[in-house]
Amino acid sequence: MKYGFIGGTPRGYKVFLELVAKGYRPEFCVILKEDDHENLKVSGDFLKEAEKNNIPASVKKKLNAQDYANIQTLDLDFLIVCGWRTLIEPEINQYLKIGMVAAHDSLLPEYRGFAPLNWAIINGETETGVTLFLINDGETDSGEIITAEKVSIGPDETAPELYEKIIDATISAYLKLIEDYQRNPNIN
């Protein structure tokens, strides 16, 4: 199994750490460069971990022509996209056996788009979750759903508290994806 990792944010970083710790080493990482105004920055630690594990890595805000060319030549099964903020051209799917597998912080199709955790709390939901889906060329967060993990929302739970639970659910979902794929490469 061969995959690439495109991501950032604390969640993407923790997913990366867990996958590597379990022996699921990506062929490369493209790490999200945070905006200057962001207080919490993980890209430096992310890059150090990739380098420590001899994983080719770069830090940037969006993919460039060289990144796309690299993906086309690697014969990857899939890309994990977790905590990435800019458009990835869906044409890249033709070079992947499964496609680009992204994580969204809701039980899709509910709360597609921006700030799903905040909206779930504001709207008084009692559960939310993480959905892994295939990025396509349709609307935002609209691709084929692969799996979802439910997460309960406590009555006084804050978005940062819920985010920590979402991180754990995301790790679990990606581990399940990889383990299922190793058992049966025809998961989609």
Side-chain angles (χ1 to χ4, degrees), residues 115-181:
L117 297 182
N118 301 60
W119 284 112
I121 291 170
I122 289 166
N123 290 334
E125 303 288 354
T126 59
E127 74 175 10
T128 188
V130 171
T131 303
L132 297 187
F133 68 99
L134 294 174
I135 296 175
N136 62 17
D137 59 358
E139 294 180 49
T140 303
D141 306 326
S142 66
E144 178 185 341
I145 293 172
I146 295 175
T147 190
E149 301 250 343
K150 291 183 179 180
V151 173
S152 64
I153 303 173
D156 298 318
E157 196 151 32
T158 64
E161 292 167 340
L162 183 57
Y163 182 66
E164 290 302 316
K165 291 164 60 175
I166 289 294
I167 289 172
D168 292 340
T170 305
I171 290 167
S172 174
Y174 274 121
L175 285 172
K176 181 179 184 316
L177 166 79
I178 289 172
E179 291 161 2
D180 287 352
Y181 185 75

Short mmCIF file of all heavy atoms in Angstrom, two decimals, residues 115-181:
data_model
loop_
_atom_site.label_atom_id
_atom_site.label_comp_id
_atom_site.label_asym_id
_atom_site.label_seq_id
_atom_site.Cartn_x
_atom_site.Cartn_y
_atom_site.Cartn_z
N ALA A 115 -16.85 25.48 9.47
CA ALA A 115 -17.18 25.52 10.90
C ALA A 115 -18.29 24.54 11.31
O ALA A 115 -19.19 24.90 12.06
CB ALA A 115 -17.53 26.93 11.33
N PRO A 116 -18.22 23.29 10.88
CA PRO A 116 -19.29 22.35 11.21
C PRO A 116 -19.43 22.07 12.71
O PRO A 116 -20.55 21.89 13.19
CB PRO A 116 -18.93 21.09 10.44
CG PRO A 116 -17.45 21.19 10.21
CD PRO A 116 -17.17 22.66 10.07
N LEU A 117 -18.34 22.05 13.44
CA LEU A 117 -18.43 21.79 14.88
C LEU A 117 -19.14 22.94 15.58
O LEU A 117 -20.01 22.72 16.44
CB LEU A 117 -17.05 21.59 15.50
CG LEU A 117 -16.26 20.38 15.01
CD1 LEU A 117 -14.94 20.29 15.76
CD2 LEU A 117 -17.05 19.12 15.14
N ASN A 118 -18.77 24.15 15.22
CA ASN A 118 -19.41 25.32 15.83
C ASN A 118 -20.92 25.30 15.56
O ASN A 118 -21.71 25.55 16.47
CB ASN A 118 -18.79 26.60 15.28
CG ASN A 118 -17.31 26.67 15.54
OD1 ASN A 118 -16.56 25.81 15.10
ND2 ASN A 118 -16.87 27.68 16.25
N TRP A 119 -21.29 25.02 14.31
CA TRP A 119 -22.71 25.02 13.96
C TRP A 119 -23.46 23.90 14.66
O TRP A 119 -24.62 24.08 15.08
CB TRP A 119 -22.90 24.98 12.45
CG TRP A 119 -22.62 26.31 11.84
CD1 TRP A 119 -21.57 26.63 11.01
CD2 TRP A 119 -23.35 27.51 12.05
NE1 TRP A 119 -21.61 27.96 10.69
CE2 TRP A 119 -22.70 28.53 11.31
CE3 TRP A 119 -24.48 27.84 12.78
CZ2 TRP A 119 -23.15 29.84 11.29
CZ3 TRP A 119 -24.93 29.16 12.75
CH2 TRP A 119 -24.28 30.14 12.02
N ALA A 120 -22.83 22.76 14.82
CA ALA A 120 -23.50 21.66 15.53
C ALA A 120 -23.78 22.06 16.98
O ALA A 120 -24.88 21.80 17.51
CB ALA A 120 -22.64 20.40 15.47
N ILE A 121 -22.84 22.71 17.63
CA ILE A 121 -23.03 23.17 19.01
C ILE A 121 -24.09 24.28 19.05
O ILE A 121 -25.01 24.23 19.87
CB ILE A 121 -21.69 23.66 19.62
CG1 ILE A 121 -20.75 22.46 19.83
CG2 ILE A 121 -21.94 24.38 20.93
CD1 ILE A 121 -19.34 22.83 20.20
N ILE A 122 -23.97 25.26 18.19
CA ILE A 122 -24.94 26.37 18.15
C ILE A 122 -26.36 25.85 17.97
O ILE A 122 -27.30 26.34 18.60
CB ILE A 122 -24.57 27.38 17.03
CG1 ILE A 122 -23.30 28.15 17.42
CG2 ILE A 122 -25.72 28.33 16.73
CD1 ILE A 122 -22.67 28.92 16.27
N ASN A 123 -26.51 24.84 17.11
CA ASN A 123 -27.84 24.30 16.81
C ASN A 123 -28.33 23.28 17.83
O ASN A 123 -29.40 22.69 17.64
CB ASN A 123 -27.86 23.72 15.40
CG ASN A 123 -27.76 24.79 14.34
OD1 ASN A 123 -28.14 25.94 14.56
ND2 ASN A 123 -27.25 24.43 13.19
N GLY A 124 -27.57 23.05 18.89
CA GLY A 124 -28.02 22.16 19.96
C GLY A 124 -27.99 20.68 19.62
O GLY A 124 -28.69 19.88 20.25
N GLU A 125 -27.15 20.29 18.67
CA GLU A 125 -27.05 18.87 18.31
C GLU A 125 -26.48 18.08 19.49
O GLU A 125 -25.70 18.61 20.29
CB GLU A 125 -26.14 18.69 17.09
CG GLU A 125 -26.56 19.46 15.87
CD GLU A 125 -27.80 18.91 15.19
OE1 GLU A 125 -28.31 17.84 15.58
OE2 GLU A 125 -28.28 19.58 14.26
N THR A 126 -26.85 16.82 19.59
CA THR A 126 -26.33 15.95 20.64
C THR A 126 -25.24 15.02 20.12
O THR A 126 -24.58 14.34 20.91
CB THR A 126 -27.44 15.11 21.27
OG1 THR A 126 -28.07 14.32 20.25
CG2 THR A 126 -28.47 16.01 21.97
N GLU A 127 -25.07 14.98 18.80
CA GLU A 127 -23.97 14.21 18.23
C GLU A 127 -23.54 14.82 16.91
O GLU A 127 -24.28 15.55 16.25
CB GLU A 127 -24.33 12.74 18.04
CG GLU A 127 -25.25 12.43 16.91
CD GLU A 127 -25.47 10.94 16.71
OE1 GLU A 127 -25.08 10.13 17.55
OE2 GLU A 127 -26.04 10.60 15.67
N THR A 128 -22.31 14.54 16.59
CA THR A 128 -21.72 14.92 15.31
C THR A 128 -20.76 13.80 14.96
O THR A 128 -20.95 12.67 15.40
CB THR A 128 -21.05 16.31 15.37
OG1 THR A 128 -20.67 16.69 14.05
CG2 THR A 128 -19.88 16.37 16.31
N GLY A 129 -19.71 14.09 14.26
CA GLY A 129 -18.75 13.05 13.96
C GLY A 129 -17.75 13.47 12.91
O GLY A 129 -17.59 14.66 12.62
N VAL A 130 -17.11 12.47 12.37
CA VAL A 130 -16.12 12.65 11.31
C VAL A 130 -16.54 11.75 10.16
O VAL A 130 -16.89 10.60 10.37
CB VAL A 130 -14.71 12.26 11.78
CG1 VAL A 130 -13.73 12.24 10.62
CG2 VAL A 130 -14.23 13.17 12.86
N THR A 131 -16.49 12.30 8.97
CA THR A 131 -16.77 11.52 7.77
C THR A 131 -15.54 11.52 6.88
O THR A 131 -14.97 12.57 6.62
CB THR A 131 -17.96 12.12 6.98
OG1 THR A 131 -19.10 12.20 7.83
CG2 THR A 131 -18.29 11.28 5.76
N LEU A 132 -15.13 10.34 6.44
CA LEU A 132 -14.12 10.24 5.40
C LEU A 132 -14.85 10.11 4.08
O LEU A 132 -15.77 9.29 3.95
CB LEU A 132 -13.21 9.02 5.60
CG LEU A 132 -12.37 8.98 6.87
CD1 LEU A 132 -11.41 7.78 6.81
CD2 LEU A 132 -11.61 10.25 7.11
N PHE A 133 -14.44 10.91 3.11
CA PHE A 133 -15.11 10.90 1.81
C PHE A 133 -14.09 11.12 0.71
O PHE A 133 -12.97 11.59 0.95
CB PHE A 133 -16.20 11.98 1.75
CG PHE A 133 -15.68 13.38 1.77
CD1 PHE A 133 -15.54 14.09 0.59
CD2 PHE A 133 -15.29 13.99 2.96
CE1 PHE A 133 -15.03 15.38 0.60
CE2 PHE A 133 -14.79 15.28 2.97
CZ PHE A 133 -14.66 15.98 1.79
N LEU A 134 -14.47 10.77 -0.51
CA LEU A 134 -13.60 10.96 -1.66
C LEU A 134 -13.83 12.36 -2.23
O LEU A 134 -14.97 12.73 -2.52
CB LEU A 134 -13.90 9.92 -2.74
CG LEU A 134 -13.56 8.48 -2.36
CD1 LEU A 134 -14.03 7.52 -3.45
CD2 LEU A 134 -12.08 8.31 -2.10
N ILE A 135 -12.76 13.11 -2.38
CA ILE A 135 -12.86 14.43 -2.99
C ILE A 135 -13.15 14.25 -4.48
O ILE A 135 -12.47 13.49 -5.17
CB ILE A 135 -11.55 15.23 -2.81
CG1 ILE A 135 -11.29 15.51 -1.32
CG2 ILE A 135 -11.59 16.52 -3.61
CD1 ILE A 135 -9.97 16.20 -1.05
N ASN A 136 -14.19 14.94 -4.93
CA ASN A 136 -14.55 14.88 -6.34
C ASN A 136 -14.58 16.29 -6.92
O ASN A 136 -14.15 17.24 -6.28
CB ASN A 136 -15.89 14.16 -6.53
CG ASN A 136 -17.04 14.88 -5.85
OD1 ASN A 136 -16.96 16.05 -5.49
ND2 ASN A 136 -18.14 14.18 -5.66
N ASP A 137 -15.12 16.41 -8.11
CA ASP A 137 -15.18 17.73 -8.72
C ASP A 137 -16.55 18.39 -8.55
O ASP A 137 -16.88 19.33 -9.25
CB ASP A 137 -14.79 17.68 -10.21
CG ASP A 137 -15.67 16.76 -11.02
OD1 ASP A 137 -16.58 16.12 -10.45
OD2 ASP A 137 -15.45 16.67 -12.24
N GLY A 138 -17.32 17.90 -7.60
CA GLY A 138 -18.63 18.47 -7.31
C GLY A 138 -18.55 19.56 -6.27
O GLY A 138 -17.52 20.20 -6.07
N GLU A 139 -19.64 19.75 -5.56
CA GLU A 139 -19.70 20.77 -4.51
C GLU A 139 -18.79 20.39 -3.35
O GLU A 139 -18.40 19.24 -3.19
CB GLU A 139 -21.14 20.90 -4.01
CG GLU A 139 -22.09 21.43 -5.06
CD GLU A 139 -23.49 21.55 -4.50
OE1 GLU A 139 -23.65 22.13 -3.41
OE2 GLU A 139 -24.41 21.05 -5.17
N THR A 140 -18.50 21.36 -2.50
CA THR A 140 -17.65 21.15 -1.34
C THR A 140 -18.19 20.02 -0.46
O THR A 140 -19.39 19.97 -0.18
CB THR A 140 -17.58 22.45 -0.50
OG1 THR A 140 -17.10 23.49 -1.34
CG2 THR A 140 -16.66 22.28 0.69
N ASP A 141 -17.30 19.13 -0.04
CA ASP A 141 -17.62 18.04 0.88
C ASP A 141 -18.77 17.17 0.36
O ASP A 141 -19.63 16.73 1.12
CB ASP A 141 -17.98 18.58 2.27
CG ASP A 141 -16.91 19.50 2.84
OD1 ASP A 141 -15.72 19.25 2.58
OD2 ASP A 141 -17.26 20.46 3.55
N SER A 142 -18.78 16.89 -0.93
CA SER A 142 -19.92 16.18 -1.52
C SER A 142 -19.56 14.83 -2.12
O SER A 142 -20.41 14.19 -2.72
CB SER A 142 -20.56 17.05 -2.61
OG SER A 142 -19.65 17.22 -3.69
N GLY A 143 -18.33 14.38 -1.99
CA GLY A 143 -17.92 13.12 -2.62
C GLY A 143 -18.49 11.91 -1.92
O GLY A 143 -19.14 11.99 -0.88
N GLU A 144 -18.22 10.76 -2.53
CA GLU A 144 -18.70 9.48 -2.00
C GLU A 144 -18.18 9.26 -0.58
O GLU A 144 -16.99 9.41 -0.31
CB GLU A 144 -18.22 8.34 -2.90
CG GLU A 144 -18.62 6.97 -2.42
CD GLU A 144 -18.01 5.86 -3.27
OE1 GLU A 144 -17.59 6.12 -4.41
OE2 GLU A 144 -17.95 4.73 -2.77
N ILE A 145 -19.08 8.90 0.31
CA ILE A 145 -18.71 8.65 1.72
C ILE A 145 -18.12 7.26 1.85
O ILE A 145 -18.68 6.28 1.36
CB ILE A 145 -19.94 8.82 2.63
CG1 ILE A 145 -20.37 10.30 2.64
CG2 ILE A 145 -19.64 8.33 4.04
CD1 ILE A 145 -21.68 10.57 3.35
N ILE A 146 -16.97 7.18 2.53
CA ILE A 146 -16.30 5.91 2.76
C ILE A 146 -16.69 5.35 4.13
O ILE A 146 -17.06 4.20 4.26
CB ILE A 146 -14.77 6.06 2.67
CG1 ILE A 146 -14.39 6.44 1.25
CG2 ILE A 146 -14.07 4.79 3.10
CD1 ILE A 146 -12.93 6.74 1.09
N THR A 147 -16.58 6.19 5.15
CA THR A 147 -16.93 5.76 6.51
C THR A 147 -17.20 7.00 7.36
O THR A 147 -16.81 8.10 7.00
CB THR A 147 -15.80 4.91 7.15
OG1 THR A 147 -16.27 4.33 8.36
CG2 THR A 147 -14.56 5.73 7.43
N ALA A 148 -17.86 6.78 8.48
CA ALA A 148 -18.12 7.87 9.42
C ALA A 148 -18.03 7.34 10.84
O ALA A 148 -18.33 6.17 11.10
CB ALA A 148 -19.50 8.48 9.18
N GLU A 149 -17.58 8.19 11.73
CA GLU A 149 -17.48 7.86 13.16
C GLU A 149 -18.28 8.89 13.93
O GLU A 149 -18.05 10.10 13.79
CB GLU A 149 -16.02 7.91 13.63
CG GLU A 149 -15.11 6.99 12.89
CD GLU A 149 -14.62 5.84 13.74
OE1 GLU A 149 -14.71 5.91 14.97
OE2 GLU A 149 -14.13 4.87 13.14
N LYS A 150 -19.22 8.43 14.74
CA LYS A 150 -20.05 9.34 15.53
C LYS A 150 -19.32 9.79 16.78
O LYS A 150 -18.54 9.04 17.37
CB LYS A 150 -21.36 8.67 15.92
CG LYS A 150 -22.27 8.44 14.74
CD LYS A 150 -23.58 7.83 15.18
CE LYS A 150 -24.48 7.63 13.96
NZ LYS A 150 -25.78 7.05 14.34
N VAL A 151 -19.62 11.03 17.19
CA VAL A 151 -19.06 11.62 18.41
C VAL A 151 -20.21 12.34 19.12
O VAL A 151 -20.93 13.11 18.52
CB VAL A 151 -17.94 12.64 18.07
CG1 VAL A 151 -17.48 13.38 19.30
CG2 VAL A 151 -16.78 11.95 17.38
N SER A 152 -20.36 12.06 20.41
CA SER A 152 -21.42 12.73 21.18
C SER A 152 -21.00 14.15 21.55
O SER A 152 -19.81 14.45 21.68
CB SER A 152 -21.75 11.94 22.45
OG SER A 152 -20.62 11.92 23.30
N ILE A 153 -21.99 15.01 21.69
CA ILE A 153 -21.76 16.40 22.12
C ILE A 153 -22.44 16.57 23.47
O ILE A 153 -23.66 16.43 23.58
CB ILE A 153 -22.35 17.42 21.11
CG1 ILE A 153 -21.77 17.20 19.71
CG2 ILE A 153 -22.08 18.84 21.59
CD1 ILE A 153 -22.42 18.05 18.64
N GLY A 154 -21.65 16.86 24.49
CA GLY A 154 -22.21 17.09 25.82
C GLY A 154 -22.97 18.40 25.89
O GLY A 154 -22.72 19.31 25.09
N PRO A 155 -23.87 18.54 26.87
CA PRO A 155 -24.70 19.75 26.94
C PRO A 155 -23.91 21.04 27.15
O PRO A 155 -24.34 22.10 26.70
CB PRO A 155 -25.64 19.48 28.12
CG PRO A 155 -25.03 18.36 28.87
CD PRO A 155 -24.17 17.59 27.93
N ASP A 156 -22.77 20.97 27.79
CA ASP A 156 -21.96 22.17 28.03
C ASP A 156 -20.61 22.11 27.31
O ASP A 156 -19.69 22.85 27.65
CB ASP A 156 -21.73 22.35 29.53
CG ASP A 156 -23.02 22.57 30.29
OD1 ASP A 156 -23.88 23.31 29.78
OD2 ASP A 156 -23.19 21.97 31.38
N GLU A 157 -20.51 21.24 26.34
CA GLU A 157 -19.23 21.04 25.65
C GLU A 157 -18.89 22.24 24.76
O GLU A 157 -19.76 22.77 24.07
CB GLU A 157 -19.30 19.78 24.80
CG GLU A 157 -17.96 19.27 24.37
CD GLU A 157 -17.96 17.77 24.18
OE1 GLU A 157 -19.00 17.21 23.78
OE2 GLU A 157 -16.92 17.16 24.43
N THR A 158 -17.63 22.62 24.81
CA THR A 158 -17.16 23.73 23.98
C THR A 158 -16.57 23.17 22.68
O THR A 158 -16.26 21.99 22.59
CB THR A 158 -16.07 24.54 24.71
OG1 THR A 158 -14.93 23.68 24.91
CG2 THR A 158 -16.58 25.08 26.04
N ALA A 159 -16.39 24.05 21.70
CA ALA A 159 -15.81 23.63 20.43
C ALA A 159 -14.40 23.05 20.61
O ALA A 159 -14.10 22.01 20.03
CB ALA A 159 -15.82 24.78 19.43
N PRO A 160 -13.52 23.66 21.42
CA PRO A 160 -12.19 23.05 21.61
C PRO A 160 -12.26 21.65 22.25
O PRO A 160 -11.48 20.77 21.89
CB PRO A 160 -11.46 24.04 22.52
CG PRO A 160 -12.11 25.35 22.25
CD PRO A 160 -13.56 25.01 22.01
N GLU A 161 -13.18 21.45 23.19
CA GLU A 161 -13.34 20.13 23.80
C GLU A 161 -13.82 19.12 22.77
O GLU A 161 -13.33 17.99 22.69
CB GLU A 161 -14.32 20.19 24.98
CG GLU A 161 -13.81 20.98 26.16
CD GLU A 161 -14.89 21.31 27.18
OE1 GLU A 161 -16.10 21.29 26.85
OE2 GLU A 161 -14.50 21.60 28.33
N LEU A 162 -14.79 19.54 21.98
CA LEU A 162 -15.33 18.66 20.94
C LEU A 162 -14.26 18.35 19.89
O LEU A 162 -14.17 17.22 19.39
CB LEU A 162 -16.57 19.31 20.30
CG LEU A 162 -17.29 18.51 19.24
CD1 LEU A 162 -17.73 17.14 19.76
CD2 LEU A 162 -18.50 19.29 18.72
N TYR A 163 -13.45 19.34 19.56
CA TYR A 163 -12.39 19.16 18.58
C TYR A 163 -11.44 18.03 18.99
O TYR A 163 -11.01 17.24 18.15
CB TYR A 163 -11.63 20.47 18.40
CG TYR A 163 -10.53 20.44 17.36
CD1 TYR A 163 -10.81 20.27 16.00
CD2 TYR A 163 -9.20 20.61 17.73
CE1 TYR A 163 -9.81 20.27 15.05
CE2 TYR A 163 -8.18 20.61 16.78
CZ TYR A 163 -8.49 20.43 15.45
OH TYR A 163 -7.48 20.42 14.51
N GLU A 164 -11.11 17.94 20.28
CA GLU A 164 -10.24 16.86 20.75
C GLU A 164 -10.88 15.49 20.51
O GLU A 164 -10.19 14.54 20.13
CB GLU A 164 -9.88 17.04 22.23
CG GLU A 164 -8.95 18.22 22.49
CD GLU A 164 -7.63 18.13 21.74
OE1 GLU A 164 -7.02 17.03 21.69
OE2 GLU A 164 -7.21 19.16 21.17
N LYS A 165 -12.18 15.39 20.72
CA LYS A 165 -12.88 14.13 20.44
C LYS A 165 -12.90 13.84 18.94
O LYS A 165 -12.78 12.69 18.51
CB LYS A 165 -14.30 14.18 21.00
CG LYS A 165 -14.32 14.17 22.54
CD LYS A 165 -15.63 14.60 23.15
CE LYS A 165 -16.83 13.79 22.82
NZ LYS A 165 -18.04 14.22 23.58
N ILE A 166 -13.02 14.89 18.15
CA ILE A 166 -13.01 14.75 16.69
C ILE A 166 -11.65 14.25 16.21
O ILE A 166 -11.56 13.42 15.30
CB ILE A 166 -13.40 16.09 16.01
CG1 ILE A 166 -14.88 16.38 16.24
CG2 ILE A 166 -13.04 16.10 14.54
CD1 ILE A 166 -15.85 15.43 15.56
N ILE A 167 -10.58 14.74 16.82
CA ILE A 167 -9.24 14.26 16.46
C ILE A 167 -9.15 12.75 16.67
O ILE A 167 -8.69 12.02 15.80
CB ILE A 167 -8.15 15.00 17.27
CG1 ILE A 167 -8.02 16.45 16.81
CG2 ILE A 167 -6.80 14.28 17.15
CD1 ILE A 167 -7.12 17.31 17.68
N ASP A 168 -9.60 12.28 17.84
CA ASP A 168 -9.55 10.84 18.11
C ASP A 168 -10.38 10.05 17.11
O ASP A 168 -9.97 8.99 16.63
CB ASP A 168 -10.05 10.55 19.54
CG ASP A 168 -9.10 11.08 20.61
OD1 ASP A 168 -7.91 11.31 20.30
OD2 ASP A 168 -9.55 11.25 21.76
N ALA A 169 -11.56 10.56 16.78
CA ALA A 169 -12.43 9.88 15.81
C ALA A 169 -11.80 9.88 14.41
O ALA A 169 -11.93 8.89 13.67
CB ALA A 169 -13.80 10.54 15.78
N THR A 170 -11.11 10.94 14.07
CA THR A 170 -10.45 11.02 12.76
C THR A 170 -9.32 9.99 12.67
O THR A 170 -9.19 9.29 11.67
CB THR A 170 -9.90 12.44 12.50
OG1 THR A 170 -10.97 13.38 12.65
CG2 THR A 170 -9.31 12.56 11.11
N ILE A 171 -8.53 9.90 13.73
CA ILE A 171 -7.46 8.89 13.76
C ILE A 171 -8.06 7.50 13.60
O ILE A 171 -7.59 6.70 12.79
CB ILE A 171 -6.65 9.00 15.07
CG1 ILE A 171 -5.83 10.29 15.08
CG2 ILE A 171 -5.75 7.78 15.26
CD1 ILE A 171 -5.23 10.66 16.43
N SER A 172 -9.10 7.22 14.35
CA SER A 172 -9.77 5.92 14.27
C SER A 172 -10.28 5.64 12.86
O SER A 172 -10.11 4.53 12.33
CB SER A 172 -10.92 5.88 15.28
OG SER A 172 -11.67 4.70 15.13
N ALA A 173 -10.90 6.64 12.23
CA ALA A 173 -11.45 6.45 10.89
C ALA A 173 -10.36 6.17 9.86
O ALA A 173 -10.50 5.28 9.01
CB ALA A 173 -12.27 7.67 10.49
N TYR A 174 -9.25 6.92 9.92
CA TYR A 174 -8.17 6.68 8.96
C TYR A 174 -7.49 5.34 9.21
O TYR A 174 -7.12 4.65 8.25
CB TYR A 174 -7.15 7.82 8.98
CG TYR A 174 -7.53 8.98 8.09
CD1 TYR A 174 -7.69 10.25 8.61
CD2 TYR A 174 -7.72 8.82 6.72
CE1 TYR A 174 -8.04 11.33 7.80
CE2 TYR A 174 -8.06 9.88 5.90
CZ TYR A 174 -8.22 11.13 6.44
OH TYR A 174 -8.57 12.18 5.63
N LEU A 175 -7.31 4.95 10.46
CA LEU A 175 -6.74 3.62 10.73
C LEU A 175 -7.64 2.53 10.17
O LEU A 175 -7.16 1.56 9.58
CB LEU A 175 -6.52 3.42 12.23
CG LEU A 175 -5.33 4.16 12.82
CD1 LEU A 175 -5.33 4.06 14.35
CD2 LEU A 175 -4.01 3.64 12.25
N LYS A 176 -8.95 2.69 10.34
CA LYS A 176 -9.90 1.71 9.80
C LYS A 176 -9.80 1.67 8.28
O LYS A 176 -9.79 0.59 7.68
CB LYS A 176 -11.32 2.08 10.25
CG LYS A 176 -12.38 1.12 9.76
CD LYS A 176 -13.76 1.54 10.27
CE LYS A 176 -14.86 0.59 9.92
NZ LYS A 176 -14.91 0.06 8.59
N LEU A 177 -9.72 2.83 7.64
CA LEU A 177 -9.57 2.88 6.20
C LEU A 177 -8.36 2.08 5.74
O LEU A 177 -8.45 1.23 4.84
CB LEU A 177 -9.42 4.33 5.72
CG LEU A 177 -8.94 4.51 4.28
CD1 LEU A 177 -10.07 4.29 3.30
CD2 LEU A 177 -8.29 5.87 4.08
N ILE A 178 -7.22 2.33 6.36
CA ILE A 178 -5.98 1.66 5.95
C ILE A 178 -6.06 0.16 6.21
O ILE A 178 -5.70 -0.65 5.35
CB ILE A 178 -4.77 2.30 6.66
CG1 ILE A 178 -4.52 3.69 6.08
CG2 ILE A 178 -3.52 1.43 6.52
CD1 ILE A 178 -3.48 4.51 6.82
N GLU A 179 -6.55 -0.23 7.39
CA GLU A 179 -6.64 -1.66 7.70
C GLU A 179 -7.62 -2.36 6.77
O GLU A 179 -7.34 -3.47 6.28
CB GLU A 179 -7.04 -1.83 9.17
CG GLU A 179 -5.90 -1.40 10.10
CD GLU A 179 -6.35 -1.10 11.53
OE1 GLU A 179 -7.54 -1.27 11.85
OE2 GLU A 179 -5.47 -0.71 12.32
N ASP A 180 -8.76 -1.73 6.49
CA ASP A 180 -9.72 -2.31 5.55
C ASP A 180 -9.12 -2.42 4.15
O ASP A 180 -9.31 -3.42 3.46
CB ASP A 180 -11.01 -1.49 5.49
CG ASP A 180 -11.87 -1.63 6.74
OD1 ASP A 180 -11.57 -2.49 7.60
OD2 ASP A 180 -12.84 -0.86 6.87
N TYR A 181 -8.40 -1.39 3.73
CA TYR A 181 -7.80 -1.40 2.41
C TYR A 181 -6.75 -2.50 2.28
O TYR A 181 -6.64 -3.15 1.24
CB TYR A 181 -7.18 -0.04 2.09
CG TYR A 181 -6.66 0.03 0.68
CD1 TYR A 181 -7.53 0.15 -0.40
CD2 TYR A 181 -5.29 -0.04 0.40
CE1 TYR A 181 -7.07 0.19 -1.70
CE2 TYR A 181 -4.82 0.00 -0.89
CZ TYR A 181 -5.71 0.11 -1.94
OH TYR A 181 -5.25 0.15 -3.24
#
